[in-house]
Amino acid sequence: MAEQQELLTVATAMLDKAYTPYSHFHVGAAAVGASGKIYGGCNIENASFGATNCAERTAIFSGIAAGETHFTALLVTGNTDGPIAPCGICRQVIAEFFDADAPIYLTNQKGAFTATTVAAILPGAFTDLN
């Protein structure tokens, strides 16, 4: 539970860093690299919505830029009524860099919490690059 609380603290801090001039919908995420280091991420919007990047991918890509190639856990949070979940694009990126049984924590800022796995949020993920 200590890891989950640390991830929530990092992801919550990311909410204030979100760049959301269009939707005003802030999302924070925290990913644990195989090294044990935690990488925070926030969503970053763009007038060309295709160029927008979700918090989950920002956290993962920050870790990759720092040299991580594998991640062991992810937490997502937002100011929503229930736990917030990754979009489809993020789920595919998660499937590429996490084991299928890696924990994914879906939370909100009201205390809701759901634990799931990569395999549960994206059954049948495309992971074979050969």
Side-chain angles (χ1 to χ4, degrees):
M1 194 60 142
E3 178 186 64
Q4 296 164 5
Q5 186 56 51
E6 189 174 0
L7 290 171
L8 182 58
T9 298
V10 171
T12 297
M14 294 280 91
L15 290 172
D16 290 334
K17 296 181 180 189
Y19 178 75
T20 62
Y22 307 103
S23 72
H24 308 289
F25 184 74
H26 293 213
V27 180
V32 181
S35 69
K37 184 172 179 186
I38 297 175
Y39 300 91
C42 59
N43 53 327
I44 303 165
E45 294 180 347
N46 189 277
S48 170
F49 261 34
T52 294
N53 201 56
C54 298
E56 300 90 315
R57 286 182 284 141
T58 300
I60 294 164
F61 295 163
S62 292
I64 292 168
E68 299 280 359
T69 58
H70 190 74
F71 297 85
T72 60
L74 177 77
L75 183 139
V76 186
T77 194
N79 291 307
T80 52
D81 289 334
I84 192 169
C87 74
I89 293 171
C90 287
R91 291 173 192 222
Q92 184 58 52
V93 170
I94 292 164
E96 179 120 354
F97 294 102
F98 291 71
D99 290 338
D101 62 350
I104 306 296
Y105 306 115
L106 312 176
T107 71
N108 70 6
Q109 292 295 290
K110 296 178 181 179
F113 180 91
T114 299
T116 187
T117 65
V118 174
I121 65 168
L122 187 61
F126 179 72
T127 56
D128 185 5
L129 298 178
N130 296 318

